[in-house]
RNA sequence: GUGGGUGUAGCUCAAUUGGUUAGAGCGCCGGACUGUGACUCCGGAGGCUGAGGGUUCAAGUCCCUUCAUCCACCCCA
């Protein structure tokens, strides 16, 4: 039988899992250090929970689960795999009004999108998500930026940019370009988002093609091409935007100030007026993180969504959150050589010499394990050369052995495969020797 | 959803314009070495050339379909 993996999925072999767990543990630790608490939700939700939250493009990418029984042959579906971790959280908040606010939660779980895979993009991938529910303060947004920054620093990243913008500023820019309804607004933002990819001329042409007029576009470019440092951009925006847009400006100002005071390097956070963010539910600040190399899109994204929870509940709740893409983090770290290439599964292989010394051999394995040393017992009565080869191939540092000589002397032989030195020791001394050499990686 | 590249041994790759029996390195297994790996030497196994169909005297090579994969677009983590 030929076996295949579904497109866009992968098996994570031990070699990959070890680095993956390492990254997850670091991120989880940072989340906890910022006071976020763990939450998990089911892999699938009722379909109406998910639809209508991500925009037209997003809805198409939701994985639907076929209905069982009647209706299955019509292709009806009433359940779907979760598309992100934000909407499930919003559902949880609506169902649990008893949760004390403000509430900080982190969630590290897989999500599914029926997308076409490419570099750094899968149909099943993990998000590391933090959200802060019940606060309208720009400090909450600043905390989200700061926690991402802290994760990246702790993981060892040095060159990255956190880009920030605000939905109200974007809406104003679309208005200036001549958009008079949400649909036109969206088309302006989609075109604007491509600016750094295809350049001003092509974006301009695209907007003209969509019916926007030269005079409005001139004013639009005056805003979109504002340059200078963050303060200069904010200052300039205040002179051209409406009341609503100026709210966004003020919030961004406080967000930047807060994030920097919380430890984000001023150079690492930049206002980017072309940052649009596709998800429908964002209402205020939006942010994403990019690295120059390798080219992989954003490694984190998020924003404020003050209306989303209200879609599930009569009492609306403001919220802001951000996600790190686990696979993208790992891809970047691999390509930048930030992860060890090989890890060691266990420290000691206990080899089998023969039936005569089997009890002593098993006892030695037990003693190593009780001492907290990762120990594999070789379960096959193979030739010693084969067992040594196995230990070597697996990257164990130590091989322990109880043969007839050792049994007679009441010792075990412990060989340091790294140095090639072997000695006959009491089990206690052998344990001490392994422990003294230090613990290798998970 | 749209467009393009690539699929040959466990892995990395060869194989004239279509032409005999599809090769190499690494790995694996066995031996030199019946209590010792990582070095050396000798020997061996391993392939429906991703799958299915077609063209041809002849297909790893050309055509179609399909699956997987990579890249770009859309969108996104």
């Amino acid at each position: 039988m030929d076996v295949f993996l579904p497109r866009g999925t992968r098996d994570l072999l031990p070699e990959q899992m070890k680095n993956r767990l390492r990254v997850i543990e670091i991120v989880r630790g940072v989340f906890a250090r910022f006071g976020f608490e763990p939450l998990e939700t089911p892999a699938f939700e009722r379909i109406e929970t998910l639809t209508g939250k991500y925009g037209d493009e997003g809805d198409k990418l939701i994985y639907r689960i076929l209905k069982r029984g009647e209706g299955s042959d019509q292709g009806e579906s009433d359940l779907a795999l979760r598309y992100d971790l934000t909407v499930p959280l919003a559902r949880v908040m609506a169902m649990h009004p008893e949760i004390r606010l403000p509430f900080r939660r982190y969630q590290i779980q897989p999500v599914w999108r029926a997308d076409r895979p490419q570099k750094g993009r899968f149909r099943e991938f993990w998000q590391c998500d933090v959200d802060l529910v019940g606060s309208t303060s720009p400090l909450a947004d600043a905390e989200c930026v700061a926690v991402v920054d802290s994760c990246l620093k702790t993981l060892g990243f040095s060159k990255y940019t956190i880009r920030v913008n605000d939905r109200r500023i974007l809406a104003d820019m679309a208005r200036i370009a001549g958009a008079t309804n949400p649909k036109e607004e969206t088309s302006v933002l989609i075109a604007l988002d491509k600016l750094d990819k295809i350049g001003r001329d092509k974006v301009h042409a695209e907007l003209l093609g969509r019916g926007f007029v030269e005079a409005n576009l001139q004013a639009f470019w005056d805003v979109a091409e504002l340059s200078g440092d963050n303060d200069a951009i904010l200052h300039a925006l205040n002179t051209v935007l409406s009341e609503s847009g100026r709210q966004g400006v003020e919030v961004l100002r406080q967000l930047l100030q807060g994030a920097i005071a919380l430890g984000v390097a001023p150079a690492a956070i930049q206002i980017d007026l072309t940052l649009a963010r596709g998800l429908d539910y964002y209402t205020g600040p939006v942010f994403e993180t990019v690295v120059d190399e390798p080219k992989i899109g954003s490694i984190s994204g998020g924003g404020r969504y003050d209306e989303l929870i209200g879609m599930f509940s009569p009492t609306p709740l403001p919220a802001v959150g951000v996600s790190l893409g686990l696979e993208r983090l790992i891809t970047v770290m691999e390509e930048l050589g930030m992860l060890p290439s090989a890890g060691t599964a266990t420290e000691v292989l206990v080899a089998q010499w023969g039936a005569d010394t089997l009890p002593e051999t098993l006892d030695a394995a037990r003693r190593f394990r009780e001492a907290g040393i990762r120990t594999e017992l070789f379960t096959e009565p193979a030739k010693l050369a084969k067992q040594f080869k196995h230990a070597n191939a697996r990257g164990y540092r130590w091989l322990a052995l109880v043969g007839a000589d050792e049994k007679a002397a009441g010792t075990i032989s412990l060989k340091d495969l790294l140095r090639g030195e072997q000695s006959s020791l009491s089990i206690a001394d052998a344990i001490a020797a392994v422990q003294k050499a230090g613990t290798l990686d998970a």
Side-chain angles (χ1 to χ4, degrees), chain A residues 150-228:
Chain A
S150 186
C151 283
L152 295 177
K153 272 186 199 150
T154 311
L155 287 167
F157 282 83
S158 54
K159 286 178 67 182
Y160 54 88
T161 306
I162 301 170
R163 305 205 281 223
V164 298
N165 198 2
D166 191 286
R167 264 297 162 84
R168 289 158 292 189
I169 294 173
L170 285 163
D172 250 18
M173 287 168 65
R175 196 148 50 228
I176 289 168
T180 55
N181 59 54
K183 203 167 177 177
E184 288 178 358
E185 206 174 283
T186 305
S187 56
V188 174
L189 298 188
I190 287 173
L192 177 61
D193 189 47
K194 298 180 195 165
L195 183 59
D196 58 343
K197 231 177 231 173
I198 65 175
R200 179 198 159 131
D201 291 348
K202 283 185 178 163
V203 172
H204 194 83
E206 180 170 334
L207 288 170
L208 285 176
R210 288 176 181 275
F212 294 92
V213 298
E214 195 70 48
N216 289 336
L217 289 184
Q218 209 45 251
F220 167 76
W221 285 118
D222 286 345
V223 181
E225 292 192 311
L226 281 175
S227 60

Side-chain angles (χ1 to χ4, degrees), chain A residues 139-339:
Chain A
L139 274 183
D141 306 69
E143 281 275 81
C144 289
V145 170
V147 76
V148 165
D149 180 74
S150 186
C151 283
L152 295 177
K153 272 186 199 150
T154 311
L155 287 167
F157 282 83
S158 54
K159 286 178 67 182
Y160 54 88
T161 306
I162 301 170
R163 305 205 281 223
V164 298
N165 198 2
D166 191 286
R167 264 297 162 84
R168 289 158 292 189
I169 294 173
L170 285 163
D172 250 18
M173 287 168 65
R175 196 148 50 228
I176 289 168
T180 55
N181 59 54
K183 203 167 177 177
E184 288 178 358
E185 206 174 283
T186 305
S187 56
V188 174
L189 298 188
I190 287 173
L192 177 61
D193 189 47
K194 298 180 195 165
L195 183 59
D196 58 343
K197 231 177 231 173
I198 65 175
R200 179 198 159 131
D201 291 348
K202 283 185 178 163
V203 172
H204 194 83
E206 180 170 334
L207 288 170
L208 285 176
R210 288 176 181 275
F212 294 92
V213 298
E214 195 70 48
N216 289 336
L217 289 184
Q218 209 45 251
F220 167 76
W221 285 118
D222 286 345
V223 181
E225 292 192 311
L226 281 175
S227 60
D229 61 21
N230 290 334
D231 286 341
I233 293 174
L234 289 175
H235 186 76
L237 284 173
N238 261 332
T239 66
V240 293
L241 296 185
S242 73
E243 172 62 28
S244 159
R246 287 204 299 275
Q247 275 179 28
V249 171
E250 176 56 20
V251 166
L252 274 194
R253 198 183 61 72
Q254 293 184 42
L255 188 165
L256 289 169
Q257 207 172 43
I260 289 165
L262 285 166
V264 180
I269 180 165
Q270 285 174 11
I271 293 175
D272 181 348
L273 296 175
T274 71
L275 171 62
R277 300 261 92 208
L279 302 182
D280 262 13
Y281 53 61
Y282 291 127
T283 55
V286 289
F287 20 87
E288 74 173 23
T289 309
V290 292
V291 290
D292 295 337
E293 290 296 332
K295 298 240 176 304
I296 197 168
S298 56
I299 55 176
S300 102
R304 176 165 283 279
Y305 49 97
D306 286 346
E307 317 286 337
L308 179 61
I309 297 171
M311 295 173 77
F312 298 113
S313 160
T315 49
L317 272 181
V320 59
V322 66
S323 270
L324 288 147
L326 183 59
E327 282 72 14
R328 288 190 180 175
L329 280 179
I330 291 171
T331 301
V332 172
M333 291 176 76
E334 275 170 353
E335 294 199 21
L336 264 37
M338 294 163 63
L339 290 167

